[in-house]
Amino acid sequence: MKKIFAVTAMGICLASLVACSSLNTNTPASNSSSSPQTQQQTQKNGGPMKTQDGSVVGNGQAPNARSAPAQGGASGTVDSVSTSGFTMTTSTGLQVTVNETSSTTYMKGTSSTSANAIAKGDFVLALGTANGPTIEASQVILTPPGGQSATASEVIPFVKKQGQGNGQDQDQATTTKSVGQIPADYSEGSGTIVSGIEADKVTEAVLYAYPGGVVNRVAKMSDGEYNVHIMGVSWPHHVFVSADFKVVGAN
């Protein structure tokens, strides 16, 4: 099937545990993953990323601890529902906690609904502030329209491999490749973080094209295109979206 990199923002749309260079958030970087400061920040960033079987993804630390929580989201199947929110599992097996607030809105397709409509087994898109594997939801969309994109199968999850002689499991190496159009002015950490409806539209486009991880920040570059960071999967790490909210490339 011909790969399609221009994907409309209608639908759902996630990747790396490797922290990227910090963006224009005025948040100082931590230089050591073992320092007390980093450990404290890791706890604030929602805890470790885990797969459905309870395995910790990567080194057990919340990805991108150098960046403050930013707007993003994730999609997946609801596992359990409580009075404060719900948990879900993404298509690659990541466990995500979604916290609801008094201002969270709910949609079923294009119609408004309520939190009572969410049930175990529903497929949902949660948009809001991503803090490690936890999302403070501003909007939850049940059964988002769009079906599966032509590029969804290209997402590479982290796979546990048995350690050699040390009795410990290790993650597979992070995949490195580029597809589609990479903006000429792109460099790791480039762009200014955006929020609001703008970030939501970008996140939806990305999660439709490359589901499975958690979008944890959306940055707008000088040419008007977007650099989107994904965590929790081996590939892609970044997805690039045009000014009219179409996915054009990934690496």
Side-chain angles (χ1 to χ4, degrees):
M1 180 182 295
K2 181 179 180 181
K3 299 178 182 178
I4 301 173
F5 300 102
V7 183
T8 62
M10 286 298 297
I12 63 170
C13 321
L14 247 201
S16 161
L17 293 176
V18 180
C20 293
S21 300
S22 59
L23 300 172
N24 298 340
T25 59
N26 296 322
T27 303
S30 173
N31 293 325
S32 172
S33 60
S34 61
S35 68
Q37 181 180 358
T38 299
Q39 293 172 353
Q40 181 179 15
Q41 183 66 49
T42 296
Q43 294 173 354
K44 291 180 179 179
N45 279 358
M49 298 287 289
K50 294 183 178 181
T51 57
Q52 194 171 19
D53 64 1
S55 300
V56 175
V57 175
N59 62 6
Q61 296 181 350
N64 306 298
R66 292 178 290 179
S67 297
Q71 195 160 335
S75 61
T77 302
V78 175
D79 295 317
S80 63
V81 180
S82 69
T83 56
S84 61
F86 58 91
T87 63
M88 66 180 180
T89 300
T90 72
S91 59
T92 60
L94 287 179
Q95 291 184 314
V96 177
T97 299
V98 179
N99 294 329
E100 301 164 335
T101 69
S102 58
S103 61
T104 304
T105 60
Y106 304 86
M107 301 288 292
K108 187 169 185 177
T110 57
S111 301
S112 296
T113 187
S114 68
N116 293 331
I118 300 174
K120 182 178 179 179
D122 286 341
F123 188 78
V124 301
L125 165 66
L127 301 170
T129 301
N131 189 3
T134 301
I135 297 172
E136 297 292 328
S138 58
Q139 185 176 50
V140 177
I141 304 174
L142 285 78
T143 317
Q148 189 177 61
S149 71
T151 53
S153 62
E154 297 180 14
V155 175
I156 302 175
F158 278 102
V159 177
K160 284 290 183 181
K161 298 191 301 183
Q162 292 292 327
Q164 298 181 354
N166 57 8
Q168 296 181 352
D169 291 343
Q170 297 181 359
D171 289 312
Q172 68 177 16
T174 298
T175 301
T176 301
K177 68 175 182 177
S178 295
V179 297
Q181 177 184 337
I182 309 300
D185 63 342
Y186 165 73
S187 61
E188 281 198 11
S190 61
T192 301
I193 289 180
V194 298
S195 59
I197 295 176
E198 182 179 20
D200 285 346
K201 287 183 177 180
V202 175
T203 299
E204 285 190 62
V206 169
L207 291 178
Y208 174 67
Y210 296 104
V214 176
V215 170
N216 73 329
R217 63 177 180 258
V218 178
K220 193 171 187 176
M221 295 181 290
S222 59
D223 62 357
E225 294 190 332
Y226 300 92
N227 162 25
V228 182
H229 188 270
I230 303 176
M231 64 184 187
V233 296
S234 181
W235 189 91
H237 314 293
H238 305 90
V239 177
F240 305 98
V241 179
S242 66
D244 57 351
F245 307 113
K246 294 180 180 179
V247 172
V248 296
N251 69 9

